Amino acid sequence: MRLTFVGELGWELHVPSEGLVDVYNTVMEAGKSHGIVDAGYRAIDSLSSEKGYKHWHEDVRPDTTPLEAGMAWLVNAKLKTGVDFLGRDALLAQKKSGIKKRLVCLKVKSPVPLVTLEAISRDGDVVGWVCRTAYGYSVGCNVAWGYVEHPEKISLDWVKSGKYQVECMGEVYDAEVSLAAPFDPKNLRVKGIYEDAA
């Protein structure tokens, strides 16, 4: 099926277990002239983090909403209709009052590996925590996704106006904040468009 979790135009193969070895060997042989290599789960974590693809259990959990996770596009159409679903009233109320926490992307230039649960500071005050991180080889730095909180309401201006840092093992590192993925934010590569995609 045409699917990607790494931000590239690709395929996900669903193969009966008895055919796995033959399919693997055929794919590896066909890709030899293109430099195909095996890649592990850490590669998937790194690429999906750069692309901003969300992980259930890290970026999105039972205690977060689609609005807080930057995934309002998944529910906005339903919220405009009379279609009822579990959580609808809570989302409508949250949309009206505003969100108090928001998933943000932090690019951390330090080579120190981050592991999650690092503190996120904005203008010197701890405002959140890192929920997922990986080194982004395409962007050349640590890519950390984390939730920042505000006691009243989070606005785009509030997010963008602060100076952010991430604390790791007692050391503090400067971070660049964004609501967009650091790699291919226009989503061109999954459409096979490679110019100006990075």
Side-chain angles (χ1 to χ4, degrees), residues 51-63:
K51 192 66 181 93
Y53 290 164
K54 311 296 187 274
H55 274 205
W56 173 253
H57 80 277
E58 289 181 311
D59 307 312
V60 183
R61 308 179 322 187
D63 63 337

Side-chain angles (χ1 to χ4, degrees), residues 8 11 21 27 35 42 81 97 118 127 132-133 141 145 180 197:
E8 296 287 345
W11 295 89
V21 172
V27 169
R42 287 291 187 196
T81 70
S97 66
E118 291 86 0
V127 294
R132 179 164 67 119
T133 183
C141 65
W145 290 88

Side-chain angles (χ1 to χ4, degrees), residues 1 5 11 23 27 36 51 70-71 73-74 78 87 89 94 113 116 125 139 144-145 155 166 172 178 181:
M1 86 174 45
F5 192 64
W11 295 89
V23 169
V27 169
I36 193 170
K51 192 66 181 93
M71 300 172 72
W73 56 273
L74 287 171
K78 270 191 176 177
D89 293 339
Q94 189 178 53
T116 69
D125 296 320
V139 296
W145 290 88
S155 68
V166 172
V172 177
S178 173

Side-chain angles (χ1 to χ4, degrees), residues 174-193:
D174 290 338
E176 180 185 323
V177 71
S178 173
L179 296 179
F183 183 75
D184 186 27
K186 294 180 183 174
N187 215 24
L188 299 175
R189 292 179 81 105
V190 296
K191 299 172 187 160
I193 303 168

